[in-house]
Each structure stands twice: as structure tokens, then as C-alpha cells.
Amino acid sequence: MTALDVSRQDRRRLGGSTGRRRLVTVRTVALLASLAGINYVGWRWSASVNWHSWWIAVPLVLAETYSVIDSLLFAFGAWKLRERGEPPTPPTTDVTVDVFITTYDEPVDLVMRTALAAQAIRYPHSTWILDDGNRADMRAAAAEAGLGVITRGQDWVDRPRHAKAGNLNNALLSTQGEFLLILDADQVPDPAILDRTLGYFKDPRMALVQTPQWFENVPDADLLGSQAPLFYGPIQQSKDGWNAAFFCGSNAILRREALMQLGISRYVREVETSVRRTLVTSRRLLSRAREDETDPRVLGALDDAEAVVDRARDQMAADEPLGDVTYDFQRGIDAIAFRFAAADLESVRNDLQELAAMSTDADTFAGLDDAALDVLGQRNASPVAAIEAIAVLARAVDVNRGDEAQPIMPLATISVTEDMATAMRLHGLGWRSAYHDEILAKGLAPEDLPTMLVQRLRWAQGTMQVFFRENPLVQKGLSFGQRLMYFSTMWSYLSGFAAIVYIAAPVLCLSFGVVPVQAYSVDFFARLIPFLVLNQLLFWVVAAGRPTWRGQQYSLALFPVWIESVTSAFENVFRGKPLGFRVTPKVRDETAMKPRWDLVRPQLFAMGSLVAALLLIGVRYLTGQASGVAPLVNTAWVVFDLVIFSIVIRAVLYRGPAPSGQSGHTSSTAGGPL
């Protein structure tokens, strides 16, 4: 019996009474953990903050509040954890399916391994290699195997490419399949992947079915934390219960109709927003221009411009076609600008003629002919700055979106990762999603620390870009549960800031006797210990036997990555600063195997501080400067932190599995959060 057969037996079992009993257990523990967390953090704020050391006491209680909120979000999701059991049978009548394999510069043999496996999928389909590198050798290999290749056309030249999202959007408009299976270049699909997922689309509102990402080149120890068994399992199942399971970039099937509706609706919304913003700005410019203006001629022009703006606003309110609104607006403002400029030109011409008559040099104004006056009459010579500014705005309003290669972009292009934003927008339109918890494709994970860090940073940056641009808490169309499920993923990346406090607090206590808590009393332990125990118990019952320790280690150990992702995404979104995006290496560099300690310098500094604190508390005990429970509690805390951080030492020294077959390659495109 194969592992896939065993997995299917487990799915049938979990879909019945066993799954229901598990959900009751999960809900019971989730409720108890939530009450314990609220009780603890409420008491911390009201009765235990040491205000004499407020500069560390307040950051610590804020960090603890962050962690309690994180726990509450996890419990909220787990409340509706969904075990779907066996999937619905696929459609009896064949539907059309396009299989997209996205690639840029991955080795041709790696891409072809995936493409040939995709070609062998049992359900009828068409297989396409989306080669964003437009490589001749890739095209030749695909042609030999009878596979289609899609590359970008001239429309994309000198326009934003939008990375993988642009590659997929380009392919969407070049194909016609009703459904799309999206695979990264390294994700080798099982022949049954469509048979096991297409049945969900019998629901006419089902837009997306996501399956796990699992990596075949990861040893059992998983020193780089690649498998993410908690996310690709209970967390996605929890989101699924709230109809918020989201697209993770690969191993997913999407309905074309849903994507095209999304693309069209976003196009209309963005153009409408642009036009409305332009009209509001125009009104403000005109109001300012009137403040100190007394020239009747200028005031008349401003009146005419206001009439054009008001007419455009009325047309928008009447839901007239945007093309008509923008055309009338542009022509109206241009007519005023030209008319005003023409009046000025006539005045200039008369002045020049008078000067020429008075001049003794007949050649002085010979060059100022009608052609030269036409140049002077360009719109940027308008004496009314407000009208000129509005003219520029009017010309910028373009329903054809000439700044983009194609006006309709179904997959979101607002971040370096297209997946989460696309799913959130689909949910906002009322579409549904499903998480099918069965391994139906096997990929390749990063095999060294540098590659892993680049990958995790990109995931986190993409998530935070979405958070800053389209905060789910305020997005229209999402249910309360969907808002919290998307927000919980984004919230998790703020943990880097809490980690700094969790490192600094015990170090300060052991080294200098600074205690952020009023007293480590019975009240303290009676509230803290139940919360910690119940929180870990919740992880245990939700995980249902899946390993979670490695994920917990990296959630703290990668705190510099999470901090950089938040700050860099903020700078990018609000200040226009480039992310400094780095492409993940596709092939492990066998010649550069020297340990990269520089990549974990902040963690090494933190570990050094923790070890120094242990030495100092020993000295303080020997000299009689330390006593009581506080040093003992913080010593245990420091030891726990050191155990957590020990993973970075092992990660730096890790050399990956021995190269064999395809295992020497690394994946750059696998999506999804940690």
C-alpha cells in the first residue's frame, strides 16, 4: 500500500466521527486557553507592571499582550477547524483544464521533470510551460516533448513585469481552460491531482482549491524548517472552516471565471478610484486658485473649469460609462487651457508687433513667426497654474491603462507574492475556497541557510505589503471570520519586535537586577502557568501528531528576518523605497560551502547576551547580590531562549542532503508563510 493510499484512508477516517470528536476536543482546549490568556494579560496590566522600571516593564507587557492576541487568533481559527474527508468525485463530463508551470531561470531539466509529470496527469488537460526567461533551450526541450510554451510579448517591453503574477496574468489571456492548475517549476504533481480536486468545483461558487506543499529533499530533522506541517494542515484547515483558506502560489487549482471576474472588477474599481481622486484634487486646485484672484478673465476660466469638473462628477454619480466620463473631462479641460492660451498668444503677438515697429533692427523679430508662437502656445505655457495642473491630471486618467502591458490583471500585483492578495480579493467578491489536505505534489526546498533566508524574507515582505496596502480588517466583502483569518497571518510577522523584548527582559534581570514584574508571586504563577500549559496543549491537539517544535523555534529564531520584512515593506508602501528584492538561488552552489555566520549575526549577539547573563547571575549569587525567585525564573527563561536559538547554529552548519538526481536544486517559488 502506498503512502498516498494510507493518506486517503486517513482522510476517510477523519471525515467521520473521529473528526467530530477531535473538533470537540480542540474547541474545549481553545476556549480554556483563551480564557487563561485573557485572565493573565488582564492581571498583568492591572496589577503587576513594575512602573519603577517602566522602560522595560511596559515593552514586556506589550509583548505579552501581542502573544496573547496571537494565541486568541490561533484559537479563533481552530474553533472551526475543518476536516473535509474524502473529496467529491470529479466531473463526469470533462471540463477543460490548463496546467501552468511557472519558471524564470530554473534549470531546464528541473522544469522538464515537472512538466513531464504534469503531462502524465490522468484527467484530460493541456500542459503549458510559462517561461519568463524566454529561453531557446527551454522551448526546444518543450517542443521535443510536445508541450506548449508561453512567453511574454512586445506589450510587456518597458512596462512593469510584476514577476510571477505578471507571468500568470499573461498566460491567462493566452489560454482558455475553465480551470487552472498552477505549479512551481520544482513541484512534481501526482497523476491523480486533478481527480482528487476538481470535484470541489461542482460548487459553482468555488474559486480555489489549495493542496499542501511538501518537499522531498528535506531530511526528518528538517533543520531549515521547510515542511511547515502546522501551516499545511491545521492552520489551513482552520482557515478553511471560516472560508478563508488561501492561495499559496503553487499546487492549487483555480476557476478561470473567478479570476477573470476579479480582474475586471479590480480594473473598474481602480479606474473609478483614479477618476474620483482626480476630480477631488481638481476641485481643491480650483478653490485655491480663486483665493487671491481678481482678474475677471481668469475667474471666468476657473468657472468654466469648475463646470467641467462638476459635470464629470454628475456623470460618475449617474453611472455613465467611464470612457465617456474621462473623454468629456479631458476634452473640456483641454479646451479651456487652449482657449486661455490662445487669448494670451494674441496679446503676445500684439506686443511683439509693437516692439518690432519700434525696433531699428528689422531682423530682431524675424524668427518669431507663427510656428514659434505655436510653440509658445503649448498648454504648459498657460498662465493659470490651476488649470494647467488639472490638464495634466486629465491627461493622466486613462481607461486603457497604457502604463500596463494589459489592462486586466486577475492575479494581484501589489506585492512580491501574488497569492494571498489574490485569494483575499476573491473572497471579497463572495467566492469560496477549499483546503484539500492531501499531498498531491512533491517539491524541492532550499538546501542551505542563505537560500532559506531569502525565501522567508520574500514571503514575509509580500504578506506585509498586502497588510499595508489592503488591510483585511477594513476590506469590503469579507466576513468577520475571513478578516481575522487573513489578519492572523499578517499579525504573526510582527513577532520579531516582541522577540527583542523577550530576549532583553531576562538579560536585564539577571545582569542588573532589573525586574519588570512587581513580584513573582503565587498570583503570577497561578495565571502564567495555566496559560502556557493550555497554549501548548492547544498546539498539541490541533497538530494531531504533526511536529510543531521546529516551527516554534524559527518563529523566534528568525526575528531579524521578520523585523526586516515589516520595516522594508513599510518603507516600500508608504515611502516608495525599493525592497531590494533578491531572487532565490535555483541551484545549490557546491563551491561556496563555507559557513555563513554573518547571516545570523543578530542571533549570535542575542545568544552571547543570554550566555553572559547566565555568567553574571552566577557571579551575583556568589557575591550575595542576587536572591529570591526572580533570578530563578529568568534563568529558566534564558535557558529556554538558548534552546530555541540553537537551531540557527545547526542551520549554519547544515549542508543539505547529498546531491543525487534532482536534490541538488533548490526551489525559489514555493509559496506560503512559515
Side-chain angles (χ1 to χ4, degrees):
M1 182 178 293
T2 67
L4 187 59
D5 293 330
V6 173
S7 172
R8 289 170 183 166
Q9 283 187 353
D10 289 342
R11 291 185 58 76
R12 285 190 286 270
R13 173 178 57 80
L14 290 172
S17 59
T18 302
R20 288 190 292 272
R21 288 195 300 270
R22 180 189 171 206
L23 184 58
V24 170
T25 302
V26 167
R27 287 183 173 182
T28 301
V29 179
L31 180 60
L32 293 174
S34 298
L35 292 174
I38 293 170
N39 178 52
Y40 172 71
V41 78
W43 176 80
R44 284 283 287 117
W45 276 105
S46 63
S48 70
V49 177
N50 184 2
W51 295 104
H52 295 294
S53 301
W54 63 267
W55 50 274
I56 184 60
V58 172
L60 178 58
V61 74
L62 285 172
E64 290 178 297
T65 303
Y66 167 84
S67 297
V68 169
I69 293 173
D70 198 44
S71 175
L72 291 173
L73 290 170
F74 183 78
F76 180 83
W79 191 264
K80 280 195 174 184
L81 188 146
R82 185 170 188 173
E83 296 278 7
R84 286 187 174 266
E86 274 292 285
T89 57
T92 53
T93 303
D94 289 347
V95 296
T96 56
V97 182
D98 288 321
V99 179
F100 288 167
I101 301 163
T102 59
T103 178
Y104 176 64
D105 63 356
E106 291 86 352
V108 171
D109 61 336
L110 181 149
V111 179
M112 288 305 299
R113 177 175 178 245
T114 299
L116 292 174
Q119 192 177 43
I121 292 173
R122 288 195 292 265
Y123 197 91
H125 65 284
S126 299
T127 303
W128 302 91
I129 297 174
L130 278 51
D131 183 20
D132 226 11
N134 196 17
R135 294 164 291 175
D137 52 350
M138 183 77 263
R139 188 176 293 277
E144 185 177 352
L147 297 167
V149 176
I150 298 176
T151 58
R152 311 229 197 177
Q154 289 299 310
D155 290 343
W156 291 88
V157 175
D158 297 328
R159 288 186 173 91
R161 294 184 66 83
H162 301 303
K164 182 180 173 183
N167 193 9
L168 288 167
N169 284 329
N170 175 68
L172 268 170
L173 299 188
S174 303
T175 55
Q176 297 180 339
E178 299 169 69
F179 299 97
L180 313 168
L181 168 59
I182 296 176
L183 298 168
D184 285 337
D186 62 300
Q187 292 285 339
V188 178
D190 185 278
I193 188 169
L194 293 177
D195 293 305
R196 302 290 291 173
T197 54
L198 282 177
Y200 289 106
F201 291 99
K202 290 178 180 178
D203 177 354
R205 296 302 297 169
M206 184 67 69
L208 161 71
V209 177
Q210 179 66 55
T211 69
Q213 294 188 25
W214 188 86
F215 307 104
E216 60 185 344
N217 61 331
V218 175
D220 291 339
D222 193 9
L223 295 180
L224 298 181
S226 299
Q227 294 293 23
L230 190 64
F231 176 79
Y232 287 113
I235 290 179
Q236 276 281 48
Q237 289 174 322
S238 297
K239 296 180 186 297
D240 193 15
W242 294 98
N243 187 31
F246 58 76
F247 180 33
C248 296
S250 183
N251 307 1
I253 302 87
L254 294 98
R255 187 189 294 268
R256 178 185 292 271
E257 177 191 355
L259 287 174
M260 296 309 295
Q261 181 192 1
L262 174 60
I264 293 171
S265 66
R266 294 300 302 188
Y267 161 75
V268 172
R269 184 180 305 174
E270 288 167 8
V271 172
E272 282 184 343
T273 300
S274 176
V275 174
R276 292 184 191 280
R277 187 181 296 117
T278 297
L279 296 178
V280 170
T281 303
S282 298
R283 254 300 187 177
R284 290 175 180 171
L285 289 171
L286 291 171
S287 296
R288 291 176 185 173
R290 281 185 172 279
E291 291 177 356
D292 298 315
E293 186 58 60
T294 58
D295 187 338
R297 189 170 61 98
V298 174
L299 291 172
L302 294 176
D303 288 339
D304 293 342
E306 284 185 353
V308 172
V309 173
D310 290 341
R311 184 170 63 251
R313 296 176 72 172
D314 292 340
Q315 289 175 305
M316 291 284 291
D319 292 328
E320 292 190 21
L322 281 174
D324 294 344
V325 176
T326 56
Y327 180 82
D328 291 344
F329 177 58
Q330 290 169 339
R331 299 290 79 76
I333 294 297
D334 284 346
I336 296 171
F338 275 121
R339 187 172 68 249
F340 206 105
D344 286 344
L345 280 178
E346 184 62 31
S347 176
V348 171
R349 188 188 304 274
N350 293 334
D351 290 343
L352 290 175
Q353 289 175 348
E354 291 181 11
L355 289 172
M358 292 185 293
S359 174
T360 57
D361 184 355
D363 295 329
T364 301
F365 298 98
L368 292 173
D369 56 10
D370 287 343
L373 289 173
D374 287 340
V375 173
L376 291 175
Q378 294 298 315
R379 280 167 285 180
N380 59 10
S382 173
V384 182
I387 293 178
E388 177 57 22
I390 295 171
V392 172
L393 288 173
R395 291 192 295 273
V397 177
D398 182 11
V399 295
N400 294 320
R401 295 187 70 177
D403 58 325
E404 294 281 4
Q406 55 190 52
I408 296 176
M409 295 281 188
L411 280 94
T413 60
I414 63 170
S415 79
V416 293
T417 54
E418 75 293 333
D419 40 23
M420 178 184 289
T422 299
M424 188 168 70
R425 291 174 175 181
L426 286 171
H427 284 132
L429 289 177
W431 290 95
R432 287 193 276 272
S433 66
Y435 178 69
H436 182 71
D437 189 28
E438 179 181 4
I439 297 170
L440 293 169
K442 297 180 179 180
L444 299 173
E447 295 181 349
D448 55 67
L449 180 65
T451 306
M452 182 269 277
L453 292 178
V454 170
Q455 184 186 69
R456 301 297 171 84
L457 178 61
R458 187 178 73 252
W459 291 349
Q461 284 176 326
T463 300
M464 295 313 298
Q465 281 180 305
V466 176
F467 176 66
F468 291 133
R469 287 193 168 113
E470 296 184 5
N471 186 335
L473 296 180
V474 297
Q475 290 303 305
K476 295 180 180 179
L478 295 179
S479 68
F480 178 73
Q482 288 173 327
R483 293 173 196 270
L484 288 188
M485 288 301 93
Y486 279 105
F487 177 72
S488 65
T489 298
M490 300 167 183
W491 177 260
S492 67
Y493 286 117
L494 300 175
S495 63
F497 300 101
I500 293 178
V501 181
Y502 289 144
I503 296 166
V507 168
L508 290 170
C509 178
L510 296 183
S511 302
F512 307 106
V514 177
V515 181
V517 180
Q518 281 192 5
Y520 289 99
S521 60
V522 173
D523 282 344
F524 175 80
F525 292 109
R527 288 169 171 81
L528 175 62
I529 292 176
F531 169 60
L532 294 178
V533 171
L534 286 169
N535 203 44
Q536 286 302 310
L537 182 61
L538 179 60
F539 268 92
W540 183 74
V541 297
V542 166
R546 300 172 192 245
T548 63
W549 172 242
R550 193 68 74 221
Q552 292 184 62
Q553 281 186 294
Y554 274 114
S555 67
L556 179 64
L558 291 184
F559 75 92
V561 175
W562 311 145
I563 292 173
E564 182 182 354
S565 72
V566 175
T567 56
S568 60
F570 183 89
E571 290 284 319
N572 172 259
V573 172
F574 295 109
R575 301 183 64 182
K577 185 177 179 179
L579 285 177
F581 179 74
R582 293 170 291 172
V583 177
T584 308
K586 310 302 187 295
V587 180
R588 185 173 65 189
D589 186 357
E590 300 293 345
T591 65
M593 301 301 287
K594 183 179 179 181
R596 293 290 306 277
W597 298 105
D598 58 302
L599 296 177
V600 293
R601 190 175 292 116
Q603 291 94 326
L604 295 176
F605 178 80
M607 294 179 74
S609 300
L610 293 168
V611 171
L614 289 179
L615 296 175
L616 283 172
I617 192 59
V619 173
R620 293 181 65 227
Y621 265 120
L622 291 174
T623 58
Q625 299 178 42
S627 62
V629 178
L632 297 177
V633 172
N634 284 274
T635 297
W637 189 353
V638 165
V639 171
F640 178 77
D641 282 350
L642 286 171
V643 172
I644 290 284
F645 280 116
S646 66
I647 189 59
V648 300
I649 305 296
R650 301 176 69 186
V652 170
L653 299 175
Y654 179 62
R655 291 294 170 269
S660 61
Q662 295 296 327
S663 65
H665 299 301
T666 59
S667 167
S668 70
T669 50
L674 178 65

